[in-house]
Amino acid sequence: MHRTPNSPTPSRRSLLRALGGTAALGALAGCGVPAAYVHPGDRSVPDASATDKRLTWANWPLYIDTDDDDPDRRPTLEAFGRRTGISVDYVEEINDNDEFFGKISPALMNHQRPGRDLIVMSDWMCARFVRLGWVQEMDRARQPRVARHLDLLLRSPAFDPGRKFTVPWQSGITGIAYDQRRLGREIRAVADLWASDLKGRVTLLSGLDEAFALLMQGNGVDIRTWKADDFHRVCDQVEKQVRRGQIRRFTGNDYTKDLVSGDVLACQAYSGDVIQLQADNPGIRFVVPEEGAELWADSLMIPDRARHKANAERLIDYYYDPEVAAELAAWVNYVCPVPAAQAVLADAKDEDTAALAGNPLIFPDSAMRRRLAIARDITSTERVEFARRWNKIVGL
């Protein structure tokens, strides 16, 4: 029986909290701390996987399937253990990208064991790990399912061409959610957010990395190759909308509360959140604007000096089995990075589970896929300047 997952927490898609944190990150990533970079020859240690059948996996809360009767049990993970004999210490310790970066960075920059064999970070943060040389290149010979089933749209982001260092865990879309019944009309484009009947009833995401791409797409920008001028143009537009009172506030995941209460009629939103809101309010819609929307991922990485690399690679490949990916997708309800799982869900005996196969927010249809793109991330040299301007607008 399909289980509607718990409501997402702010930890699921984290925010840049303040300029101080982003400035420190920018400096570490390339503005004066050269010792932080780890050269390829210093990234690995002898792999204990052959004799030590275990691994430690750090993930976000509520980001894996659990048993209906016992939330401490994780069916797909338990099945992996039975199939392989590998014991997994699964730790829900990632509550924010920046916070976890600060937690694990001292070990990585000092060439010490990180205490985790597998971590899940949002791709914009994965980009920093890759640039710093803090993750190991994966052996695709151990990952035939990843090579075969990874969604073509996710295969080669600008920060990791060919996905040598990262593999998507789950994906999603940053688009627009709105209450069609209360608004009484459709929203089709980013510019629709600035209509007079939405004055004071719009929210935008407060996180720099989460917010900018969709707004650029509203200007017709190819977010795969955006420039600094494109960013500043967006800031000019948002400042104008703040002055005229169009934007109610900037939010984290708490935009869902405003949308449900009716205080907000339209907002920047994540596809996975909207699926859950629609279960209680069918009038809530999610739209990929005509100009396009951002496709993002939270991705798996094997940190430098992890002791169980082969075990971690095997676990990653296990979750790219379409049967396993389908079981996971039915619980988390984000965009599945394994399109082949759609046919598995379609054949499910339970009607609710089978219906998920036709949900474009889990398996985007061809028309939607043509409007999705992965944004170029903000580089370390850009970050301090951009964060200073954006956080001033947002009020961080």
Side-chain angles (χ1 to χ4, degrees):
M1 185 73 177
H2 168 60
R3 177 181 184 276
T4 301
N6 295 299
S7 298
T9 66
S11 63
R12 183 66 57 80
R13 295 289 295 158
S14 70
L15 307 175
L16 291 173
R17 303 293 182 187
L19 178 58
T22 59
L25 182 58
L28 180 61
C31 301
V33 191
Y37 178 76
V38 177
H39 293 277
D42 295 327
R43 297 177 187 177
S44 62
V45 294
D47 192 352
S49 295
T51 57
D52 193 8
K53 296 293 185 181
R54 61 190 176 95
L55 69 104
T56 299
W57 179 8
N59 204 350
W60 302 73
L62 307 177
Y63 220 9
I64 197 169
D65 55 303
T66 61
D67 186 271
D68 288 345
D69 299 320
D70 184 353
D72 292 327
R73 296 189 61 188
R74 303 175 177 96
T76 59
L77 202 55
E78 291 179 3
F80 172 77
R82 292 192 298 270
R83 182 182 300 187
T84 64
I86 297 172
S87 174
V88 181
D89 181 14
Y90 184 83
V91 186
E92 293 183 327
E93 64 170 330
I94 304 177
N95 294 300
D96 175 270
N97 282 288
D98 287 320
E99 178 186 56
F100 189 73
F101 179 93
K103 185 175 185 178
I104 200 172
S105 60
L108 292 171
M109 74 170 64
N110 289 295
H111 302 211
Q112 298 171 352
R113 291 175 181 170
R116 297 113 177 135
D117 301 290
L118 198 59
I119 62 176
V120 179
M121 300 257 83
S122 299
D123 268 356
W124 61 266
M125 180 59 82
C126 290
R128 288 143 185 76
F129 277 77
V130 171
R131 289 198 183 105
L132 286 165
W134 287 4
V135 287
Q136 298 184 54
E137 182 173 346
M138 297 189 201
D139 184 354
R140 284 290 183 266
R142 295 194 184 107
Q143 297 177 319
R145 296 184 185 92
V146 174
R148 185 182 311 123
H149 295 301
L150 174 57
D151 193 328
L152 292 175
L153 287 177
L154 296 167
R155 282 182 182 247
S156 199
F159 74 91
D160 184 16
R163 288 282 185 185
K164 295 179 181 179
F165 298 94
T166 63
V167 172
W169 168 243
Q170 293 295 295
S171 184
I173 303 166
T174 302
I176 297 171
Y178 68 102
D179 192 323
Q180 187 180 41
R181 290 193 294 196
R182 286 189 171 112
L183 182 59
R185 63 177 177 85
E186 292 185 347
I187 287 179
R188 297 184 178 181
V190 174
D192 292 344
L193 294 174
W194 318 136
S196 58
D197 60 345
L198 284 174
K199 187 173 182 178
R201 311 291 291 278
V202 174
T203 60
L204 298 180
L205 294 169
S206 59
L208 170 59
D209 294 270
E210 285 81 4
F212 78 92
L214 180 72
L215 301 175
M216 282 186 187
Q217 287 168 303
N219 293 330
V221 173
D222 183 347
I223 60 172
R224 297 170 296 181
T225 57
W226 61 268
K227 304 294 190 297
D229 287 347
D230 299 318
F231 173 79
H232 288 297
R233 182 184 176 195
V234 161
C235 288
D236 291 342
Q237 292 168 331
V238 173
E239 285 176 330
K240 176 182 177 181
Q241 298 303 332
V242 169
R243 287 194 300 268
R244 66 187 291 259
Q246 188 74 12
I247 299 170
R248 182 183 182 89
R249 67 187 185 106
F250 296 86
T251 75
N253 282 58
D254 51 338
Y255 68 82
T256 58
K257 299 176 183 177
D258 292 341
L259 190 60
V260 169
S261 69
D263 290 338
V264 160
L265 297 181
C267 56
Q268 208 172 17
Y270 303 125
S271 54
D273 292 349
V274 175
I275 291 176
Q276 297 168 27
L277 295 178
Q278 288 172 334
D280 296 320
N281 184 350
I284 292 178
R285 299 284 187 266
F286 182 86
V287 61
V288 172
E290 295 170 348
E291 310 96 331
E294 181 190 13
L295 180 68
W296 51 262
D298 294 328
S299 293
L300 297 143
M301 297 185 291
I302 301 173
D304 291 348
R305 297 184 172 259
R307 297 189 65 247
H308 305 92
K309 180 174 183 285
N311 290 345
E313 289 168 334
R314 193 170 180 183
L315 176 64
I316 293 168
D317 197 59
Y318 164 78
Y319 276 99
Y320 272 72
D321 180 325
E323 295 280 349
V324 179
E327 187 173 353
L328 181 63
W331 201 90
V332 300
N333 287 179
Y334 276 78
V335 173
C336 181
V338 184
Q342 184 174 21
V344 176
L345 284 174
D347 289 338
K349 295 181 180 179
D350 179 74
E351 291 184 3
D352 291 338
T353 302
L356 296 174
N359 191 324
L361 301 188
I362 299 176
F363 299 100
D365 56 34
S366 58
M368 184 181 291
R369 288 172 67 88
R370 286 193 292 269
R371 302 199 301 277
L372 298 176
I374 299 176
R376 171 180 79 77
D377 63 296
I378 299 170
T379 67
S380 58
T381 54
E382 295 168 327
R383 181 163 294 278
V384 175
E385 173 193 352
F386 289 0
R388 182 178 292 114
R389 183 167 190 198
W390 181 256
N391 289 343
K392 184 177 180 181
I393 295 170
V394 173
L396 291 176

